[in-house]
Amino acid sequence: MWFSKSPEEIIHELNVNPATGLSTAEAQARLEKYGQNRLKGKPKKSMLERFFAQLQDVLIYVLLGAAVITIGVGEWVDAIIILMVVLLNATIGVIQESKAEKAIEALEKMTTPRSLVRRDGEVREINSENVVAGDIVILDAGRYVPADLRLIESANLQIEESALTGESVPTEKNAKDLHEDPKTPSGDKTNMAFMSTLTTYGRGEGVVIATAMETEIGKIAKILDEDVDAMTPLQKRLEELGKTLGYIAIGITLVILIIALFQDRPLFEMFLTAISLAVAAIPEGLPAIVAIVLALGVTRMSKINAIVRKLPAVETLGSVSIICSDKTGTLTQNKMTIVKIYTVGNLKNVPTDGRSFATENIDEKELIRSFVLCSDATYENGESTGDPTEVALVVLGEKYDLGRRKLHDEYKRVGEKPFDSDRKLMSTLNQNENGYRVHTKGALDNILKISSTALVNGKVVPLTEEMKVDYLKVAEEMSNDALRVLGSAFKDTKSIINPEEMEKELTVIGLVGMIDPPRLEVKDSIAKAKGAGITPVMITGDHKNTAVAIAKELGMANSLEQSITGSEIDELSEEEFLKKIKNYRVFARVSPEHKVKIVKAFQFHGNIVSMTGDGVNDAPALKIADIGVAMGITGTDVSKGASDMILTDDNFTTIVHAIEEGRKIYNNIKKSVIFLLSCNLGEVVAIFFAVLFDWSLPLLATQILWINLVTDSFPAIALGIDPGDKDVMSKKPRKPKESFFAHGAGQRAIIGGTLIGILTLAAFYFGLAEFGYSVNSKDIPEHVMINARTMAFVVLAGSQLFFSFSMRSIYKSVFQIGLFSNKYLVGAVIFGFILQLGVITIPAFANAFKVHNLSAYDWGLVMLFSIVPFIINEVSKLFIKEPES
């Protein structure tokens, strides 16, 4: 463990002289031995591989089996139609998932292209891929760290590690620090610098102790590289449904063949009939319709700033029960902001809404002026550079009309004493109208030690013990609210003084408290999520008190007892952690491995877990979660590559809208599936009873395929984009194991399907009876059979089209919802009837499907039969009570 060893031990272990660095020959030898400092990714899948991956579905297997059989018996038209459905489904899937996983590629891009190293006694700039273990790397402000380093020298060094640890404030580094605890979190390893983090202040030197996949970033890359192919609830439902329908199709075929043997019917004819029944049992359009509905849902979600990278993720959102969210940049604004100012006797809250103010308080004005003059950060036109803490101070100045440029022009800086981590202070010497003034900022207790006076109401007065206690008490209260406290003081001089003389006999002005504040809209979103039965949880690399303070403000947690740190997690056994996980709402100081462990623990209890985040440190958890949600603006490419969904506005509120949309989409898919199964059951009932009672077949296989693939498809798609229930977010999340047929959906499908099947047989009976034949008659003339089958064909299609209106809600009548509130469905039903009319009136189609046009009387009869299932279903809703959520 490099962080627990002294620089001397490490230099000896890696066999390098820090004064000269490695020789070129030694560096080359190590490069050949250990390889380039570059992250490795798994090979990309080809388009063909992705296409075949789409075909690995039980329902698709059943369809392909049906296609093979239809080719075997010479029914080429049927086979081509089925294969086109399979092709359409696979193509939609490939298009939606064509953007392959980019996580590893993004990690590669994040590595620094050039690095400063010492070799052969001189400093050289080399390609970061050629950095090797043992290299001496020089760090200065603005330079990325090329590999994992053990620091051997540091001077006021600060490194911004938020992408790796989640901390919003740069970490102060000190090469002399030693950490004995082997479980020290990455964020607390002050003597280390990690690959792809950014040096923001000071300078340092470090010896490379890990490159490429052995770095902390590399470990994350390995986690991302592991395939996680857990199926979503919808995929599981559809797979189960596919298996069930496949077994039903095989069972029906066997039953028909057995019946044929008993009835002494021609086996080949009955085999064709069995295929008709198998075709009737399987909703051939289902895979394509589900894919289309999901794709339309994805398009709709992109309009609410949520980009879905993987189709099944849409419906997974609908059953999310836990939202694990990173703090920095997701729940908070990822920018330090001054929220409190204190001068003697005057504690003031600073509004965070961006407005400008003027202050009449002399002390307050002096405090802000001193902070701005003692800062190197810049802030112009909304763009900032420099240390986040200093940026917060400069932004405070802008709010109070004490802008940095204006002040620095008026009070020229003529000297300074830079910040260092031992003093925890920084001082500057600026000109003013009476000579020169020292401005000092830093840790309040250190400022009080070097001060002898205080500024009170514009006058310098002696600093009493009572005043010191007062300052420290206010600072403690701010710290308890998880604010970072910074004090300020000044001293007037007649001439330019040495830095060593600056920090003596100062006058205390006051202090400020700052925090990375919560996003303004997040609190309402969390309340809405809770109302929908979803538990929001914070997972962060930041400190416990800071995290809990934010969580309390947002309504995520009530007390410190609901929080736990990464090191406390390590002390618990696997069983203890799984048992206690439900008690926690805040997880602080956690590593990437902890985040994955937390997500898995929630999943162990049967939760569907969403993980939102924006940093590199979030990527493994995004990958392992049921649905990973990355931030589009502040999010790293790594987090985006590992996610299932990206929020383009970085707004936590969008995930709540996305969950609402996901619930509606799942409900709509369920409507489509139940509708299609009702229709298919109607076809099975009609064919099966005809065979069972030795009647003539009321429908042909091509007619059934037409209805399954064309007539049914448009209403099914229209149901898939139904506006949905307005109160969907007042219900608890759907249980992952909940069946498609829960809440009476199965009974509705059976009743609706049976009604459709019986009325189809009734239409067939009346079609024969018009010419004096019955369903048992032998040697029925072809024109009579065509007439009867046409009537059965139209009733089957018409009853399904009307029935689609009733499928919009289990409990509410379509007239309550609004008959025309889903214009797409109205259009689909009208279009369906036009298609049906076209098939029986256009000669080419009529001949292909063996149908003909009907008389006015027959049309009246078939329309009457067609509307019966719709009427019965709507009336039954009067007696069904909606369960409470």
Side-chain angles (χ1 to χ4, degrees):
M1 288 171 290
W2 305 101
F3 53 86
S4 62
K5 296 178 181 178
S6 69
E8 293 74 25
E9 286 178 273
I10 288 160
I11 287 162
H12 177 72
E13 201 170 318
L14 291 169
N15 193 22
V16 61
N17 180 351
T20 57
L22 296 173
S23 67
T24 303
E26 178 62 22
Q28 186 59 36
R30 293 188 185 191
L31 187 65
E32 288 171 8
K33 184 177 179 181
Y34 299 110
Q36 285 195 312
N37 179 31
R38 186 169 60 195
L39 299 169
K40 297 175 180 67
K42 57 189 173 188
K44 287 183 185 178
K45 284 184 179 179
S46 67
M47 281 295 241
L48 197 63
E49 284 175 311
R50 273 184 244 149
F51 179 82
F52 283 115
Q54 299 296 324
L55 301 179
Q56 291 169 18
D57 182 270
V58 175
L59 213 51
I60 299 292
Y61 295 155
V62 173
L63 287 178
L64 290 172
V68 169
I69 293 168
T70 47
I71 290 170
V73 297
E75 296 290 339
W76 289 97
V77 175
D78 297 3
I80 288 168
I81 293 170
I82 293 170
L83 290 171
M84 281 175 69
V85 170
V86 171
L87 186 68
L88 175 67
N89 180 66
T91 304
I92 290 169
V94 169
I95 289 168
Q96 285 295 327
E97 295 180 17
S98 61
K99 287 185 180 179
E101 292 292 347
K102 291 183 179 177
I104 306 300
E105 288 175 37
L107 282 164
E108 287 172 359
K109 287 175 191 170
M110 284 180 69
T111 53
T112 322
R114 309 290 291 174
S115 306
L116 283 180
V117 298
R118 185 176 291 119
R119 286 187 183 173
D120 298 320
E122 59 184 45
V123 175
R124 298 176 186 168
E125 189 173 51
I126 65 167
N127 190 318
S128 67
E129 291 184 351
N130 296 326
V131 168
V132 296
D135 258 326
I136 304 298
V137 175
I138 289 89
L139 300 174
D140 51 24
R143 198 173 283 277
Y144 276 97
V145 180
D148 282 5
L149 313 177
R150 170 60 167 92
L151 297 170
I152 54 175
E153 278 184 30
S154 60
N156 307 323
L157 183 63
Q158 294 182 15
I159 297 179
E160 204 271 293
E161 298 177 330
S162 68
L164 186 67
T165 65
E167 268 200 81
S168 47
V169 178
T171 306
E172 291 177 16
K173 298 292 184 178
N174 190 337
K176 294 175 184 175
D177 288 350
L178 286 180
H179 302 286
E180 301 295 337
D181 185 357
K183 293 178 181 177
T184 305
S186 296
D188 292 339
K189 292 174 185 173
T190 53
N191 57 7
M192 299 282 291
F194 300 106
M195 186 184 200
S196 293
T197 57
L198 178 67
T199 309
T200 59
Y201 194 84
R203 60 174 299 282
E205 288 186 16
V207 59
V208 175
I209 51 96
T211 60
M213 300 302 282
E214 300 308 310
T215 62
E216 290 297 311
I217 286 275
K219 290 172 188 174
I220 294 173
K222 283 178 189 173
I223 297 170
L224 292 179
D225 214 18
E226 295 170 7
D227 280 319
V228 179
D229 290 325
M231 290 195 296
T232 69
L234 178 65
Q235 285 173 317
K236 290 173 186 172
R237 295 287 85 78
L238 289 177
E239 187 184 48
E240 288 167 15
L241 182 62
K243 284 178 183 174
T244 305
L245 294 175
Y247 295 143
I248 289 170
I250 293 164
I252 286 170
T253 306
L254 291 172
V255 169
I256 294 296
L257 291 174
I258 291 166
I259 290 171
L261 287 171
F262 278 106
Q263 293 179 346
D264 203 24
R265 290 193 181 195
L267 272 179
F268 182 71
E269 181 192 316
M270 291 311 294
F271 188 66
L272 288 178
T273 303
I275 288 173
S276 297
L277 255 176
V279 166
I282 299 167
E284 286 80 7
L286 182 61
I289 285 165
V290 169
I292 289 166
V293 168
L294 282 173
L296 290 170
V298 166
T299 305
R300 204 159 67 203
M301 289 179 83
S302 68
K303 291 173 184 173
I304 59 163
N305 302 311
I307 295 173
V308 176
R309 296 180 68 249
K310 297 168 189 172
L311 275 182
V314 179
E315 60 81 25
T316 312
L317 276 167
S319 50
V320 164
S321 53
I322 302 276
I323 300 176
C324 293
S325 176
D326 182 42
K327 177 183 74 71
T328 307
T330 306
L331 296 169
T332 66
Q333 298 172 24
N334 199 19
K335 57 181 181 186
M336 296 302 288
T337 305
I338 310 293
V339 291
K340 287 187 178 180
I341 297 177
Y342 178 75
T343 54
V344 173
N346 178 36
L347 179 62
K348 182 175 180 180
N349 291 321
V350 180
T352 57
D353 55 8
R355 287 178 293 159
S356 294
F357 304 90
T359 178
E360 300 302 320
N361 186 304
I362 302 168
D363 298 353
E364 206 172 87
K365 189 178 284 187
E366 197 54 57
L367 177 69
I368 296 167
R369 182 187 289 121
S370 187
F371 271 132
V372 174
L373 288 170
C374 191
S375 295
D376 292 322
T378 64
Y379 181 82
E380 289 184 16
N381 303 319
E383 295 293 322
S384 62
T385 60
D387 180 82
T389 300
E390 290 197 343
V391 171
L393 297 171
V394 172
V395 170
L396 178 70
E398 295 286 343
K399 278 185 182 176
Y400 285 88
D401 196 29
L402 293 166
R404 182 187 185 280
R405 177 174 285 191
K406 178 180 160 187
L407 289 179
H408 278 251
D409 287 346
E410 191 176 341
Y411 305 100
K412 298 282 186 190
R413 185 185 294 186
V414 294
E416 67 179 282
K417 188 172 185 180
F419 175 89
D420 75 48
S421 51
D422 292 331
R423 293 172 17 255
K424 289 187 167 38
L425 297 170
M426 173 184 173
S427 297
T428 63
L429 183 64
N430 298 73
Q431 286 178 339
N432 66 9
E433 54 274 7
N434 300 317
Y436 301 92
R437 174 169 284 191
V438 174
H439 297 281
T440 301
K441 74 173 192 296
L444 181 68
D445 49 353
N446 288 4
I447 281 179
L448 291 175
K449 286 174 189 173
I450 55 174
S451 299
S452 56
T453 54
L455 189 69
V456 181
N457 298 323
K459 295 176 183 175
V460 176
V461 300
L463 178 64
T464 64
E465 285 302 316
E466 190 181 339
M467 280 182 180
K468 285 184 181 181
V469 169
D470 194 35
Y471 279 124
L472 291 170
K473 184 183 176 186
V474 172
E476 187 181 358
E477 286 170 2
M478 287 187 185
S479 294
N480 290 340
D481 288 336
L483 300 186
R484 190 178 186 206
V485 178
L486 212 60
S488 180
F490 74 89
K491 175 171 75 172
D492 288 323
T493 69
K494 294 293 182 185
S495 60
I496 295 175
I497 58 174
N498 293 326
E500 290 72 28
E501 299 298 313
M502 288 181 185
E503 294 170 0
K504 293 176 182 176
E505 300 298 314
L506 301 183
T507 301
V508 183
I509 314 170
L511 58 133
V512 294
M514 65 183 77
I515 197 168
D516 179 9
R519 289 176 178 269
L520 301 175
E521 67 285 342
V522 167
K523 190 170 185 177
D524 291 339
S525 301
I526 285 170
K528 189 174 182 182
K530 283 183 165 182
I534 300 163
T535 304
V537 169
M538 183 192 291
I539 304 181
T540 179
D542 219 334
H543 293 279
K544 192 175 185 177
N545 285 358
T546 308
V548 172
I550 295 287
K552 281 182 179 177
E553 190 174 341
L554 292 172
M556 293 176 80
N558 302 318
S559 65
L560 198 65
E561 285 70 43
Q562 289 180 295
S563 64
I564 187 171
T565 63
S567 53
E568 288 168 345
I569 291 172
D570 290 333
E571 289 169 12
L572 296 173
S573 68
E574 193 79 26
E575 292 75 20
E576 284 178 306
F577 183 58
L578 288 172
K579 198 182 291 180
K580 293 182 176 181
I581 186 83
K582 294 178 181 178
N583 302 332
Y584 302 118
R585 295 292 176 267
V586 176
F587 299 86
R589 302 306 278 168
V590 293
S591 67
E593 289 81 6
H594 287 133
K595 292 188 179 194
V596 172
K597 188 175 182 179
I598 292 160
V599 170
K600 284 182 174 177
F602 278 120
Q603 288 171 331
F604 175 81
H605 289 286
N607 293 297
I608 298 292
V609 181
S610 163
M611 170 75 190
T612 66
D614 60 356
V616 177
N617 61 320
D618 298 319
L622 290 175
K623 183 96 173 177
I624 208 82
D626 295 288
I627 178 156
V629 184
M631 301 292 138
I633 300 170
T634 58
T636 57
D637 285 348
V638 185
S639 62
K640 292 174 191 174
S643 68
D644 300 294
M645 188 173 86
I646 300 167
L647 307 183
T648 59
D649 59 354
D650 281 19
N651 192 332
F652 184 86
T653 303
T654 303
I655 190 157
V656 180
H657 291 156
I659 287 173
E660 184 174 358
E661 198 63 39
R663 288 187 177 190
K664 287 179 182 177
I665 288 168
Y666 184 88
N667 289 345
N668 288 348
I669 287 172
K670 185 174 172 179
K671 291 173 195 174
S672 297
V673 170
I674 299 298
F675 167 69
L676 289 172
L677 293 180
S678 300
C679 298
N680 282 62
L681 181 61
E683 295 157 11
V684 169
V685 166
I687 298 282
F688 186 75
F689 280 104
V691 171
L692 189 64
F693 297 119
D694 201 13
W695 297 343
S696 300
L697 286 181
L699 297 160
L700 300 175
T702 47
Q703 294 169 349
I704 294 169
L705 266 176
W706 167 265
I707 289 170
N708 284 1
L709 297 174
V710 181
T711 314
D712 288 351
S713 296
F714 294 106
I717 292 169
L719 283 170
I721 51 175
D722 195 66
D725 298 333
K726 290 176 182 173
D727 58 350
V728 73
M729 287 299 276
S730 65
K731 297 178 172 66
K732 288 180 181 176
R734 187 183 69 256
K735 290 177 183 175
K737 294 182 180 178
E738 182 181 289
S739 165
F740 260 134
F741 307 106
H743 307 298
Q747 292 94 303
R748 290 178 70 222
I750 290 167
I751 293 165
T754 305
L755 276 170
I756 290 168
I758 290 169
L759 287 159
T760 300
L761 284 173
F764 182 63
Y765 171 83
F766 277 99
L768 291 173
E770 282 181 14
F771 294 90
Y773 292 91
S774 74
V775 288
N776 291 313
S777 300
K778 304 296 178 187
D779 302 321
I780 299 170
E782 190 178 354
H783 72 280
V784 175
M785 186 60 78
I786 286 174
N787 183 71
R789 280 180 176 158
T790 302
M791 289 183 72
F793 182 46
V794 174
V795 166
L796 182 64
S799 58
Q800 292 177 5
L801 290 169
F802 281 127
F803 190 66
S804 65
F805 284 117
S806 194
M807 292 302 299
R808 289 188 60 195
S809 173
I810 297 175
Y811 307 105
K812 294 174 184 173
S813 165
V814 71
F815 301 106
Q816 281 178 279
I817 301 168
L819 185 63
F820 297 101
S821 57
N822 185 343
K823 294 181 176 67
Y824 296 107
L825 184 57
V826 175
V829 170
I830 293 169
F831 184 58
F833 275 114
I834 291 169
L835 284 174
Q836 209 60 24
L837 185 63
V839 165
I840 65 173
T841 55
I842 298 169
F845 284 110
N847 293 332
F849 287 96
K850 297 185 175 64
V851 290
H852 69 190
N853 201 358
L854 297 173
S855 65
Y857 171 80
D858 286 346
W859 267 112
L861 195 63
V862 295
M863 293 307 283
L864 182 65
F865 283 169
S866 296
I867 206 164
V868 169
F870 166 74
I871 293 169
I872 290 175
N873 203 50
E874 286 298 293
V875 170
S876 70
K877 290 178 185 178
L878 298 172
F879 306 101
I880 301 172
K881 189 179 179 183
E882 186 172 1
E884 292 182 14
S885 60

